[in-house]
Structure formats: structure tokens, C-alpha cells
Amino acid sequence: MAFMLTSMAPKKAKKKEGASSNVFNMFEQSQIQEFKEAFTIMDQNRDGFIDKNDLRDTFAALGRLNVGNDELDEMLKEASGAINFTVFLTMFGEKLKDSHTDLLQVNQMFTNFPLDVAGNLDYKNLCYVITHGEDKEQE
């Protein structure tokens, strides 16, 4: 299951007078459904929580069998507590909110270096500009 990061960008939450922030208001319903499907796949033992064994089994299903306990523990430490669906969604919301600024820089890059008709980026020109400071086509 592949997710497009740009399609997962959180929508702007509507502020309601006196209402507390709700992670479910950050995303469109279709996005929440996609996160729910991902959560269900990762919750290997179907107990409603993602734990270390679920993470290990998920990595194994993806072909990565050598995930260490330290790496799994570090992942679990990112959560505020047991990872139920609400915590899972909150974690993704925070990550996507933090990466939203990065997406704006990427979008600016595509404006400055548009894709060709086949949808490909002229990466040689991009690399040239990064290393030399100006567009080689303009020289």
C-alpha cells in the first residue's frame, strides 16, 4: 500500500469557539480511511494497539527480518502512550504538519524546474543549478 505524501497533507483545521483540538478534524474522511486501513494492516494481532510485536511482524511482512529491539523501542517512544488508532493518527498528523513546510519547498522546486511532457524532472539541469548556481540553459 503506497501513500502519496502530498495527498496526505493535513487539511487546515477549522477553529471552533471553545472546542478542543481534534485530530480527526485535521484530515478528510478519505484520508482517515486510508490511515485506518494502514493501522489495521499493522495491527497484526488485531488487539486495537500497535506494539513491538506488531511492528516486528509488519517489517517481516515487508521483507525486513533483522529489525533490532532498540530500533523498535525508539519507534514506540515517539508515541505518547499505547498506540491505538487515535494516537497513530495523531502521530501522522504531527509528522505531516512538520513536513508541510518541506513540501512547500519541493513544490517551489517543481515551479522552477517544471516536469517535461512525460512527467520527468530534468535532474541533470537541477544538479547543475545546485552545484553551479545558475540554469545552464540560460548561459
Side-chain angles (χ1 to χ4, degrees):
M1 175 181 296
F3 293 106
M4 298 270 320
L5 186 58
T6 56
S7 69
M8 288 289 126
K11 69 179 185 179
K12 293 187 180 186
K14 296 176 185 171
K15 298 261 182 180
K16 294 181 181 177
E17 293 288 324
S20 63
S21 128
N22 183 344
V23 69
F24 290 93
N25 291 333
M26 290 179 64
F27 298 101
E28 302 293 337
Q29 188 60 40
S30 60
Q31 294 172 317
I32 293 172
Q33 184 58 39
E34 288 183 31
F35 281 118
K36 184 64 174 172
E37 290 172 17
F39 180 86
T40 301
I41 290 168
M42 293 177 71
D43 183 16
Q44 297 282 313
N45 63 7
R46 303 293 185 253
D47 67 351
F49 296 91
I50 295 176
D51 59 19
K52 187 186 288 192
N53 290 329
D54 291 328
L55 286 177
R56 186 182 317 281
D57 291 345
T58 299
F59 276 111
L62 295 171
R64 186 162 171 221
L65 304 174
N66 59 347
V67 182
N69 282 327
D70 292 344
E71 187 176 357
L72 296 173
D73 288 337
E74 285 299 314
M75 289 180 196
L76 293 171
K77 282 182 193 175
E78 291 184 34
S80 59
I83 305 175
N84 62 16
F85 180 64
T86 302
V87 172
F88 180 80
L89 191 60
T90 301
M91 291 172 71
F92 270 96
E94 290 169 357
K95 294 280 187 190
L96 291 172
K97 191 167 112 181
D98 292 343
S99 69
H100 185 67
T101 302
D102 296 336
L103 289 175
L104 294 174
Q105 293 160 357
V106 170
N107 287 336
Q108 183 179 7
M109 179 190 71
F110 283 120
T111 301
N112 295 331
F113 299 95
L115 303 178
D116 65 15
V117 293
N120 298 314
L121 175 68
D122 182 356
Y123 70 91
K124 290 180 183 178
N125 187 36
L126 176 61
C127 292
Y128 185 89
V129 171
I130 290 170
T131 58
H132 293 85
E134 55 185 88
D135 192 342
K136 68 180 177 183
E137 292 177 2
Q138 294 177 355
E139 291 184 340

